[in-house]
Amino acid sequence: MKQVLYIEDDKEIGAWVKEDLERRGYSVDWLITGDTAVDRVGSADIVVLDVMLPGLDGFTIGQRLKKEAPQVPILMLSARTAVDDKLQGLRFADDYLTKPFHPDELAARLDVLLRRYGQPIELELAIGHLVIKPQLQAVYDGRTGDEIPLTPKQLQILFYFLDNLNRIVTKEQIYEAVWGDPYIDGDKTIMVHIRYLREKIELDPSNPLIIETIRGIGYRVKR
């Protein structure tokens, strides 16, 4: 059972999140301030940390937690949507989720972070003719060694597939993870972006081997 250190002073939100995560099989240690967080992070597998807290704010607490336990991923929660706030959080945190959020999205992000921290970081990942370097956020053609230029959104989509390697993911999941907004039924954004991504990374975009279409469900990248 994975241990979540959850720091949230809003008792209504805290009780709701704690109950939902425990229903999903997590053990949740819920604190309403960060006063004792450093002493308890050592037993945690992951931290969920609100920005607005009484006393020390979440940014300060998060930096202390990361210094104390750099191996424990931190997911920041905040009603703040300004880019500067997100950038400040992402200087030390591993992900940043704005309120309000759907519990399924929180659970999905926790799952990704736990899987990412639960396995060694690969310096290179080979899929078909592609050589992918996660730490550099770069993709190369293994036949020539040339970098394949991808837009930021194309990189985000590709790395979302890599975070879910061998799993089928839906258009809804991709859109909500990459764009951070609820998917609207009938929106063609994902289809268009994947078509352009395939044109860059597939040997034959009309017969894709990297990004597999699972008819009626979504997409999958296999290794």
Side-chain angles (χ1 to χ4, degrees), residues 182-211:
Y183 175 80
I184 299 174
D185 191 40
D187 192 321
K188 304 295 185 184
T189 301
I190 294 299
M191 294 177 61
V192 171
H193 276 76
I194 288 181
R195 184 174 79 243
Y196 289 143
L197 178 57
R198 280 172 166 165
E199 289 175 357
K200 292 184 177 181
I201 67 172
E202 298 282 359
L203 294 177
D204 179 5
S206 63
N207 183 32
L209 298 178
I210 305 294
I211 302 175

Side-chain angles (χ1 to χ4, degrees), residues 120-132:
I121 297 174
E122 294 187 74
L123 298 180
E124 289 189 1
L125 178 66
I127 298 180
H129 68 288
L130 301 180
V131 176
I132 302 164

Side-chain angles (χ1 to χ4, degrees), residues 8-10 13 50-51 77-81 97-101:
E8 167 67 71
D9 68 313
D10 187 307
I13 294 175
D50 187 46
V51 170
L77 297 176
S78 178
R80 299 179 179 181
T81 58
L97 180 60
T98 54
K99 298 178 178 178
F101 54 86

Side-chain angles (χ1 to χ4, degrees), residues 129-190:
H129 68 288
L130 301 180
V131 176
I132 302 164
K133 299 186 178 182
Q135 291 182 308
L136 299 178
Q137 294 280 290
V139 181
Y140 298 85
D141 186 328
R143 302 167 303 169
T144 63
D146 294 334
E147 183 174 358
I148 300 173
L150 300 180
T151 67
K153 277 290 184 284
Q154 289 169 351
L155 276 171
Q156 285 181 274
I157 292 171
L158 180 59
F159 277 88
Y160 180 76
F161 281 126
L162 299 182
D163 283 337
N164 293 276
L165 203 58
N166 301 316
R167 295 184 177 189
I168 299 172
V169 293
T170 66
K171 296 190 298 293
E172 292 83 355
Q173 290 173 314
I174 300 169
Y175 189 89
E176 291 174 8
V178 173
W179 275 266
D181 295 316
Y183 175 80
I184 299 174
D185 191 40
D187 192 321
K188 304 295 185 184
T189 301
I190 294 299

Side-chain angles (χ1 to χ4, degrees), residues 35-81:
D35 295 345
T36 62
V38 171
D39 296 328
R40 298 162 85 158
V41 70
S43 61
D45 294 298
I46 193 165
V47 174
V48 178
L49 173 61
D50 187 46
V51 170
M52 300 297 292
L53 293 170
L56 294 176
D57 63 66
F59 295 130
T60 302
I61 294 167
Q63 291 172 25
R64 293 182 179 182
L65 294 178
K66 186 57 80 170
K67 183 177 180 180
E68 178 70 19
Q71 78 284 359
V72 178
I74 297 176
L75 171 64
M76 299 294 294
L77 297 176
S78 178
R80 299 179 179 181
T81 58

